[in-house]
Amino acid sequence: MVAPDPKAQMLVRPPVPKVSGPKLGRNVLTCATLLIAVCAAFFLVVAYLVSLTGIVEFPVLKDYYQAPTPSRQVAQQKMDSREFEALISSRIREQVEDRVKNMAVTINEKEVSGLFTWGIAQGLRNSLAIEQSQVAILPTGMELFLKLRWSLGRIDLLLQVKPVLQTDGSVKFEPVSAKLGMVNLPSWAILPVMSNIFAKDMGAWDLQAGSMKIKTLDLKDGKIVINFLITN
């Protein structure tokens, strides 16, 4: 009987697998690449949303931007709050002298636009360039359009408000809708600030004099008609 050769047994033994350590470098590189991709995608989404407002212009997305446009162009009559008050007072005085019983004062959109532009300029204090500002008066409401320019982009704002007569005779401008660039905004996001500016300037009117009180406020195409009630 022939004994087995120990060398032959050594030749048929299976190789011992090598155990390698964790590939730390490759995992770190994969995580870093994924993080960069996520950040880039987030930046692109934010850039796209901001570009829709027009506040910041990105050269790549500039051609996709479309600014809101007002329903019509309104030429304005330049005036400040004092000139506006004097204008209203003179119209009231004329009717008082003529002893008009049903007194009504008409204010056109050119005059309101002039007051609006003056109020915006006072608020901005030359921080932004006003390219266009106007108020179009429609039977359904008042349309405020504001176009500003700054170093990084532009502000194109289209607001819809409606004047509401208060019990104390003042006029409050309630927000209806707002559009910043191509983005429709909820009215509470921007209109309260704008309506406060607008109401501040228009609220400076002293429309009550002696026995007169505002009865109704009607919107016509291109003008506001304020009807007064004489209490004595």
Side-chain angles (χ1 to χ4, degrees):
M1 185 174 181
V2 181
D5 189 357
K7 293 182 178 181
Q9 293 180 359
M10 294 178 60
L11 293 175
V12 298
R13 289 179 181 177
V16 178
K18 296 181 180 180
V19 180
S20 59
K23 299 178 181 180
L24 182 60
R26 182 179 299 178
N27 293 337
V28 172
L29 180 61
T30 302
C31 292
T33 304
L34 181 61
L35 179 61
I36 293 174
V38 171
C39 291
F42 177 76
F43 173 78
L44 289 176
V45 171
V46 172
Y48 174 72
L49 294 177
V50 172
S51 68
L52 292 180
T53 66
I55 295 178
V56 178
E57 291 182 348
F58 297 92
V60 179
L61 302 173
K62 186 177 180 180
D63 295 336
Y64 295 96
Y65 177 76
Q66 294 181 352
T69 55
S71 59
R72 61 169 174 256
Q73 300 294 322
V74 178
Q76 56 183 271
Q77 180 178 342
K78 292 184 178 180
M79 64 176 59
D80 56 23
S81 59
R82 292 185 178 181
E83 293 171 335
F84 191 80
E85 288 179 17
L87 179 67
I88 302 301
S89 298
S90 64
R91 291 176 182 173
I92 293 176
R93 193 181 309 112
E94 290 174 359
Q95 297 188 52
V96 170
E97 293 174 354
D98 294 338
R99 297 182 179 181
V100 177
K101 294 182 178 179
N102 298 320
M103 191 176 301
V105 174
T106 300
I107 307 167
N108 63 51
E109 60 186 15
K110 295 181 180 180
E111 297 161 346
V112 177
S113 294
L115 179 65
F116 176 65
T117 300
W118 174 83
I120 294 298
Q122 293 295 310
L124 293 176
R125 299 185 182 278
N126 298 322
S127 59
L128 298 175
I130 302 176
E131 291 190 356
Q132 185 180 356
S133 62
Q134 66 171 52
V135 179
I137 302 176
L138 310 171
T140 55
M142 300 175 66
E143 180 187 82
L144 285 62
F145 180 69
L146 185 61
K147 187 175 183 179
L148 307 175
R149 171 68 69 175
W150 69 312
S151 59
L152 297 179
R154 57 203 294 174
I155 296 177
D156 297 314
L157 191 60
L158 185 64
L159 310 174
Q160 298 284 344
V161 300
K162 62 177 181 178
V164 178
L165 183 62
Q166 305 297 298
T167 55
D168 61 354
S170 62
V171 178
K172 179 181 179 181
F173 295 89
E174 293 187 352
V176 177
S177 64
K179 190 170 186 179
L180 179 61
M182 300 174 64
V183 179
N184 292 318
L185 299 178
S187 58
W188 53 263
I190 192 168
L191 285 179
V193 177
M194 296 301 300
S195 64
N196 285 336
I197 296 175
F198 197 51
K200 178 181 178 181
D201 302 324
M202 297 189 68
W205 307 349
D206 187 9
L207 297 179
Q208 300 185 68
S211 59
M212 294 189 309
K213 184 178 180 181
I214 300 177
K215 181 180 179 181
T216 60
L217 189 149
D218 300 324
L219 295 179
K220 307 291 185 180
D221 190 30
K223 60 185 178 181
I224 303 174
V225 179
I226 302 175
N227 298 291
F228 290 90
L229 175 66
I230 300 178
T231 57
N232 63 1

PDB file of all heavy atoms in Angstrom, residues 109-136:
ATOM      1  N   GLU A 109     -57.823 109.406 -12.931  1.00  0.00           N
ATOM      2  CA  GLU A 109     -56.695 108.504 -12.692  1.00  0.00           C
ATOM      3  C   GLU A 109     -55.346 109.161 -12.941  1.00  0.00           C
ATOM      4  O   GLU A 109     -54.337 108.731 -12.391  1.00  0.00           O
ATOM      5  CB  GLU A 109     -56.831 107.245 -13.545  1.00  0.00           C
ATOM      6  CG  GLU A 109     -56.861 107.479 -15.031  1.00  0.00           C
ATOM      7  CD  GLU A 109     -57.142 106.212 -15.822  1.00  0.00           C
ATOM      8  OE1 GLU A 109     -57.586 105.199 -15.252  1.00  0.00           O
ATOM      9  OE2 GLU A 109     -56.920 106.229 -17.038  1.00  0.00           O
ATOM     10  N   LYS A 110     -55.305 110.225 -13.739  1.00  0.00           N
ATOM     11  CA  LYS A 110     -54.047 110.950 -13.929  1.00  0.00           C
ATOM     12  C   LYS A 110     -53.610 111.608 -12.625  1.00  0.00           C
ATOM     13  O   LYS A 110     -52.424 111.596 -12.267  1.00  0.00           O
ATOM     14  CB  LYS A 110     -54.201 112.000 -15.025  1.00  0.00           C
ATOM     15  CG  LYS A 110     -54.463 111.433 -16.410  1.00  0.00           C
ATOM     16  CD  LYS A 110     -54.582 112.548 -17.435  1.00  0.00           C
ATOM     17  CE  LYS A 110     -54.838 111.992 -18.827  1.00  0.00           C
ATOM     18  NZ  LYS A 110     -54.950 113.077 -19.837  1.00  0.00           N
ATOM     19  N   GLU A 111     -54.569 112.193 -11.917  1.00  0.00           N
ATOM     20  CA  GLU A 111     -54.267 112.859 -10.648  1.00  0.00           C
ATOM     21  C   GLU A 111     -53.890 111.837  -9.578  1.00  0.00           C
ATOM     22  O   GLU A 111     -52.947 112.057  -8.806  1.00  0.00           O
ATOM     23  CB  GLU A 111     -55.481 113.675 -10.218  1.00  0.00           C
ATOM     24  CG  GLU A 111     -55.823 114.785 -11.198  1.00  0.00           C
ATOM     25  CD  GLU A 111     -57.231 115.313 -11.057  1.00  0.00           C
ATOM     26  OE1 GLU A 111     -58.060 114.664 -10.374  1.00  0.00           O
ATOM     27  OE2 GLU A 111     -57.524 116.373 -11.640  1.00  0.00           O
ATOM     28  N   VAL A 112     -54.613 110.724  -9.538  1.00  0.00           N
ATOM     29  CA  VAL A 112     -54.286 109.676  -8.563  1.00  0.00           C
ATOM     30  C   VAL A 112     -52.920 109.076  -8.863  1.00  0.00           C
ATOM     31  O   VAL A 112     -52.144 108.776  -7.953  1.00  0.00           O
ATOM     32  CB  VAL A 112     -55.380 108.590  -8.571  1.00  0.00           C
ATOM     33  CG1 VAL A 112     -55.014 107.469  -7.607  1.00  0.00           C
ATOM     34  CG2 VAL A 112     -56.725 109.177  -8.195  1.00  0.00           C
ATOM     35  N   SER A 113     -52.578 108.907 -10.140  1.00  0.00           N
ATOM     36  CA  SER A 113     -51.275 108.364 -10.523  1.00  0.00           C
ATOM     37  C   SER A 113     -50.139 109.290 -10.095  1.00  0.00           C
ATOM     38  O   SER A 113     -49.085 108.837  -9.646  1.00  0.00           O
ATOM     39  CB  SER A 113     -51.217 108.129 -12.038  1.00  0.00           C
ATOM     40  OG  SER A 113     -52.122 107.123 -12.438  1.00  0.00           O
ATOM     41  N   GLY A 114     -50.371 110.591 -10.239  1.00  0.00           N
ATOM     42  CA  GLY A 114     -49.352 111.548  -9.804  1.00  0.00           C
ATOM     43  C   GLY A 114     -49.104 111.468  -8.316  1.00  0.00           C
ATOM     44  O   GLY A 114     -47.949 111.495  -7.857  1.00  0.00           O
ATOM     45  N   LEU A 115     -50.181 111.351  -7.538  1.00  0.00           N
ATOM     46  CA  LEU A 115     -50.045 111.230  -6.089  1.00  0.00           C
ATOM     47  C   LEU A 115     -49.364 109.915  -5.714  1.00  0.00           C
ATOM     48  O   LEU A 115     -48.520 109.876  -4.814  1.00  0.00           O
ATOM     49  CB  LEU A 115     -51.413 111.318  -5.434  1.00  0.00           C
ATOM     50  CG  LEU A 115     -51.444 111.178  -3.910  1.00  0.00           C
ATOM     51  CD1 LEU A 115     -50.720 112.343  -3.248  1.00  0.00           C
ATOM     52  CD2 LEU A 115     -52.871 111.085  -3.403  1.00  0.00           C
ATOM     53  N   PHE A 116     -49.715 108.852  -6.404  1.00  0.00           N
ATOM     54  CA  PHE A 116     -49.132 107.540  -6.134  1.00  0.00           C
ATOM     55  C   PHE A 116     -47.627 107.548  -6.409  1.00  0.00           C
ATOM     56  O   PHE A 116     -46.824 107.041  -5.604  1.00  0.00           O
ATOM     57  CB  PHE A 116     -49.828 106.496  -7.003  1.00  0.00           C
ATOM     58  CG  PHE A 116     -49.260 105.113  -6.879  1.00  0.00           C
ATOM     59  CD1 PHE A 116     -49.341 104.421  -5.683  1.00  0.00           C
ATOM     60  CD2 PHE A 116     -48.657 104.497  -7.957  1.00  0.00           C
ATOM     61  CE1 PHE A 116     -48.828 103.144  -5.560  1.00  0.00           C
ATOM     62  CE2 PHE A 116     -48.142 103.223  -7.846  1.00  0.00           C
ATOM     63  CZ  PHE A 116     -48.229 102.544  -6.646  1.00  0.00           C
ATOM     64  N   THR A 117     -47.213 108.121  -7.518  1.00  0.00           N
ATOM     65  CA  THR A 117     -45.794 108.187  -7.863  1.00  0.00           C
ATOM     66  C   THR A 117     -45.026 109.014  -6.845  1.00  0.00           C
ATOM     67  O   THR A 117     -43.908 108.654  -6.441  1.00  0.00           O
ATOM     68  CB  THR A 117     -45.621 108.778  -9.269  1.00  0.00           C
ATOM     69  OG1 THR A 117     -46.301 107.944 -10.216  1.00  0.00           O
ATOM     70  CG2 THR A 117     -44.148 108.854  -9.647  1.00  0.00           C
ATOM     71  N   TRP A 118     -45.610 110.123  -6.425  1.00  0.00           N
ATOM     72  CA  TRP A 118     -44.957 110.953  -5.409  1.00  0.00           C
ATOM     73  C   TRP A 118     -44.792 110.177  -4.110  1.00  0.00           C
ATOM     74  O   TRP A 118     -43.736 110.228  -3.467  1.00  0.00           O
ATOM     75  CB  TRP A 118     -45.790 112.210  -5.167  1.00  0.00           C
ATOM     76  CG  TRP A 118     -45.267 113.060  -4.038  1.00  0.00           C
ATOM     77  CD1 TRP A 118     -44.251 113.980  -4.106  1.00  0.00           C
ATOM     78  CD2 TRP A 118     -45.714 113.047  -2.685  1.00  0.00           C
ATOM     79  NE1 TRP A 118     -44.038 114.541  -2.869  1.00  0.00           N
ATOM     80  CE2 TRP A 118     -44.921 113.991  -1.970  1.00  0.00           C
ATOM     81  CE3 TRP A 118     -46.693 112.340  -1.998  1.00  0.00           C
ATOM     82  CZ2 TRP A 118     -45.099 114.231  -0.624  1.00  0.00           C
ATOM     83  CZ3 TRP A 118     -46.871 112.590  -0.655  1.00  0.00           C
ATOM     84  CH2 TRP A 118     -46.082 113.526   0.025  1.00  0.00           C
ATOM     85  N   GLY A 119     -45.837 109.432  -3.698  1.00  0.00           N
ATOM     86  CA  GLY A 119     -45.753 108.663  -2.462  1.00  0.00           C
ATOM     87  C   GLY A 119     -44.709 107.565  -2.534  1.00  0.00           C
ATOM     88  O   GLY A 119     -43.973 107.326  -1.568  1.00  0.00           O
ATOM     89  N   ILE A 120     -44.612 106.881  -3.671  1.00  0.00           N
ATOM     90  CA  ILE A 120     -43.598 105.838  -3.835  1.00  0.00           C
ATOM     91  C   ILE A 120     -42.198 106.438  -3.797  1.00  0.00           C
ATOM     92  O   ILE A 120     -41.281 105.895  -3.168  1.00  0.00           O
ATOM     93  CB  ILE A 120     -43.818 105.080  -5.156  1.00  0.00           C
ATOM     94  CG1 ILE A 120     -45.139 104.304  -5.114  1.00  0.00           C
ATOM     95  CG2 ILE A 120     -42.665 104.129  -5.440  1.00  0.00           C
ATOM     96  CD1 ILE A 120     -45.193 103.243  -4.039  1.00  0.00           C
ATOM     97  N   ALA A 121     -42.005 107.564  -4.463  1.00  0.00           N
ATOM     98  CA  ALA A 121     -40.698 108.217  -4.471  1.00  0.00           C
ATOM     99  C   ALA A 121     -40.288 108.641  -3.062  1.00  0.00           C
ATOM    100  O   ALA A 121     -39.111 108.531  -2.682  1.00  0.00           O
ATOM    101  CB  ALA A 121     -40.720 109.426  -5.402  1.00  0.00           C
ATOM    102  N   GLN A 122     -41.251 109.114  -2.270  1.00  0.00           N
ATOM    103  CA  GLN A 122     -40.947 109.487  -0.891  1.00  0.00           C
ATOM    104  C   GLN A 122     -40.538 108.274  -0.069  1.00  0.00           C
ATOM    105  O   GLN A 122     -39.650 108.346   0.780  1.00  0.00           O
ATOM    106  CB  GLN A 122     -42.174 110.159  -0.254  1.00  0.00           C
ATOM    107  CG  GLN A 122     -42.527 111.504  -0.850  1.00  0.00           C
ATOM    108  CD  GLN A 122     -41.452 112.545  -0.597  1.00  0.00           C
ATOM    109  OE1 GLN A 122     -41.007 112.734   0.528  1.00  0.00           O
ATOM    110  NE2 GLN A 122     -41.029 113.210  -1.649  1.00  0.00           N
ATOM    111  N   GLY A 123     -41.197 107.146  -0.309  1.00  0.00           N
ATOM    112  CA  GLY A 123     -40.869 105.937   0.444  1.00  0.00           C
ATOM    113  C   GLY A 123     -39.529 105.342   0.056  1.00  0.00           C
ATOM    114  O   GLY A 123     -38.776 104.864   0.908  1.00  0.00           O
ATOM    115  N   LEU A 124     -39.195 105.371  -1.233  1.00  0.00           N
ATOM    116  CA  LEU A 124     -37.938 104.768  -1.700  1.00  0.00           C
ATOM    117  C   LEU A 124     -36.732 105.652  -1.397  1.00  0.00           C
ATOM    118  O   LEU A 124     -35.625 105.148  -1.196  1.00  0.00           O
ATOM    119  CB  LEU A 124     -38.016 104.524  -3.209  1.00  0.00           C
ATOM    120  CG  LEU A 124     -39.024 103.463  -3.671  1.00  0.00           C
ATOM    121  CD1 LEU A 124     -39.048 103.406  -5.188  1.00  0.00           C
ATOM    122  CD2 LEU A 124     -38.681 102.094  -3.101  1.00  0.00           C
ATOM    123  N   ARG A 125     -36.932 106.952  -1.433  1.00  0.00           N
ATOM    124  CA  ARG A 125     -35.842 107.913  -1.171  1.00  0.00           C
ATOM    125  C   ARG A 125     -34.637 107.638  -2.073  1.00  0.00           C
ATOM    126  O   ARG A 125     -33.489 107.529  -1.627  1.00  0.00           O
ATOM    127  CB  ARG A 125     -35.430 107.879   0.299  1.00  0.00           C
ATOM    128  CG  ARG A 125     -36.545 108.249   1.247  1.00  0.00           C
ATOM    129  CD  ARG A 125     -36.076 108.328   2.686  1.00  0.00           C
ATOM    130  NE  ARG A 125     -37.167 108.631   3.571  1.00  0.00           N
ATOM    131  CZ  ARG A 125     -37.646 109.846   3.804  1.00  0.00           C
ATOM    132  NH1 ARG A 125     -37.110 110.877   3.187  1.00  0.00           N
ATOM    133  NH2 ARG A 125     -38.658 110.043   4.638  1.00  0.00           N
ATOM    134  N   ASN A 126     -34.899 107.477  -3.363  1.00  0.00           N
ATOM    135  CA  ASN A 126     -33.872 107.280  -4.390  1.00  0.00           C
ATOM    136  C   ASN A 126     -33.076 105.985  -4.239  1.00  0.00           C
ATOM    137  O   ASN A 126     -32.004 105.846  -4.827  1.00  0.00           O
ATOM    138  CB  ASN A 126     -32.891 108.469  -4.414  1.00  0.00           C
ATOM    139  CG  ASN A 126     -33.590 109.775  -4.758  1.00  0.00           C
ATOM    140  OD1 ASN A 126     -34.484 109.808  -5.590  1.00  0.00           O
ATOM    141  ND2 ASN A 126     -33.174 110.846  -4.099  1.00  0.00           N
ATOM    142  N   SER A 127     -33.580 105.039  -3.444  1.00  0.00           N
ATOM    143  CA  SER A 127     -32.871 103.762  -3.304  1.00  0.00           C
ATOM    144  C   SER A 127     -33.051 102.878  -4.537  1.00  0.00           C
ATOM    145  O   SER A 127     -32.193 102.063  -4.852  1.00  0.00           O
ATOM    146  CB  SER A 127     -33.369 103.017  -2.060  1.00  0.00           C
ATOM    147  OG  SER A 127     -34.769 102.775  -2.142  1.00  0.00           O
ATOM    148  N   LEU A 128     -34.171 103.036  -5.234  1.00  0.00           N
ATOM    149  CA  LEU A 128     -34.439 102.307  -6.470  1.00  0.00           C
ATOM    150  C   LEU A 128     -34.925 103.284  -7.530  1.00  0.00           C
ATOM    151  O   LEU A 128     -35.540 104.299  -7.206  1.00  0.00           O
ATOM    152  CB  LEU A 128     -35.499 101.214  -6.254  1.00  0.00           C
ATOM    153  CG  LEU A 128     -35.154 100.091  -5.268  1.00  0.00           C
ATOM    154  CD1 LEU A 128     -36.364  99.176  -5.088  1.00  0.00           C
ATOM    155  CD2 LEU A 128     -33.958  99.282  -5.747  1.00  0.00           C
ATOM    156  N   ALA A 129     -34.624 102.970  -8.780  1.00  0.00           N
ATOM    157  CA  ALA A 129     -35.054 103.822  -9.876  1.00  0.00           C
ATOM    158  C   ALA A 129     -36.478 103.456 -10.298  1.00  0.00           C
ATOM    159  O   ALA A 129     -36.772 102.288 -10.540  1.00  0.00           O
ATOM    160  CB  ALA A 129     -34.108 103.678 -11.063  1.00  0.00           C
ATOM    161  N   ILE A 130     -37.345 104.460 -10.352  1.00  0.00           N
ATOM    162  CA  ILE A 130     -38.726 104.246 -10.779  1.00  0.00           C
ATOM    163  C   ILE A 130     -38.785 104.391 -12.298  1.00  0.00           C
ATOM    164  O   ILE A 130     -38.599 105.477 -12.841  1.00  0.00           O
ATOM    165  CB  ILE A 130     -39.686 105.244 -10.114  1.00  0.00           C
ATOM    166  CG1 ILE A 130     -39.605 105.141  -8.593  1.00  0.00           C
ATOM    167  CG2 ILE A 130     -41.115 105.001 -10.579  1.00  0.00           C
ATOM    168  CD1 ILE A 130     -40.457 106.163  -7.863  1.00  0.00           C
ATOM    169  N   GLU A 131     -39.032 103.281 -12.983  1.00  0.00           N
ATOM    170  CA  GLU A 131     -39.182 103.321 -14.434  1.00  0.00           C
ATOM    171  C   GLU A 131     -40.619 103.646 -14.842  1.00  0.00           C
ATOM    172  O   GLU A 131     -40.840 104.316 -15.841  1.00  0.00           O
ATOM    173  CB  GLU A 131     -38.754 101.985 -15.053  1.00  0.00           C
ATOM    174  CG  GLU A 131     -37.260 101.717 -14.957  1.00  0.00           C
ATOM    175  CD  GLU A 131     -36.850 100.525 -15.780  1.00  0.00           C
ATOM    176  OE1 GLU A 131     -37.729  99.853 -16.361  1.00  0.00           O
ATOM    177  OE2 GLU A 131     -35.639 100.258 -15.865  1.00  0.00           O
ATOM    178  N   GLN A 132     -41.575 103.156 -14.068  1.00  0.00           N
ATOM    179  CA  GLN A 132     -42.973 103.424 -14.375  1.00  0.00           C
ATOM    180  C   GLN A 132     -43.817 103.194 -13.131  1.00  0.00           C
ATOM    181  O   GLN A 132     -43.583 102.261 -12.365  1.00  0.00           O
ATOM    182  CB  GLN A 132     -43.469 102.509 -15.503  1.00  0.00           C
ATOM    183  CG  GLN A 132     -44.898 102.807 -15.964  1.00  0.00           C
ATOM    184  CD  GLN A 132     -45.354 101.878 -17.076  1.00  0.00           C
ATOM    185  OE1 GLN A 132     -44.588 101.058 -17.563  1.00  0.00           O
ATOM    186  NE2 GLN A 132     -46.597 102.013 -17.488  1.00  0.00           N
ATOM    187  N   SER A 133     -44.779 104.047 -12.931  1.00  0.00           N
ATOM    188  CA  SER A 133     -45.748 103.873 -11.849  1.00  0.00           C
ATOM    189  C   SER A 133     -47.038 104.549 -12.265  1.00  0.00           C
ATOM    190  O   SER A 133     -47.014 105.647 -12.814  1.00  0.00           O
ATOM    191  CB  SER A 133     -45.219 104.456 -10.533  1.00  0.00           C
ATOM    192  OG  SER A 133     -44.994 105.850 -10.664  1.00  0.00           O
ATOM    193  N   GLN A 134     -48.148 103.892 -12.002  1.00  0.00           N
ATOM    194  CA  GLN A 134     -49.422 104.452 -12.419  1.00  0.00           C
ATOM    195  C   GLN A 134     -50.560 103.769 -11.683  1.00  0.00           C
ATOM    196  O   GLN A 134     -50.385 102.721 -11.065  1.00  0.00           O
ATOM    197  CB  GLN A 134     -49.622 104.278 -13.927  1.00  0.00           C
ATOM    198  CG  GLN A 134     -49.765 102.826 -14.344  1.00  0.00           C
ATOM    199  CD  GLN A 134     -50.169 102.671 -15.803  1.00  0.00           C
ATOM    200  OE1 GLN A 134     -49.546 103.243 -16.684  1.00  0.00           O
ATOM    201  NE2 GLN A 134     -51.211 101.892 -16.055  1.00  0.00           N
ATOM    202  N   VAL A 135     -51.725 104.396 -11.745  1.00  0.00           N
ATOM    203  CA  VAL A 135     -52.953 103.837 -11.197  1.00  0.00           C
ATOM    204  C   VAL A 135     -54.021 103.924 -12.273  1.00  0.00           C
ATOM    205  O   VAL A 135     -54.338 105.017 -12.754  1.00  0.00           O
ATOM    206  CB  VAL A 135     -53.415 104.592  -9.934  1.00  0.00           C
ATOM    207  CG1 VAL A 135     -54.721 103.993  -9.412  1.00  0.00           C
ATOM    208  CG2 VAL A 135     -52.341 104.539  -8.855  1.00  0.00           C
ATOM    209  N   ALA A 136     -54.541 102.783 -12.659  1.00  0.00           N
ATOM    210  CA  ALA A 136     -55.657 102.732 -13.596  1.00  0.00           C
ATOM    211  C   ALA A 136     -56.932 102.475 -12.802  1.00  0.00           C
ATOM    212  O   ALA A 136     -56.995 101.524 -12.021  1.00  0.00           O
ATOM    213  CB  ALA A 136     -55.450 101.647 -14.642  1.00  0.00           C
TER     214      ALA A 136
END
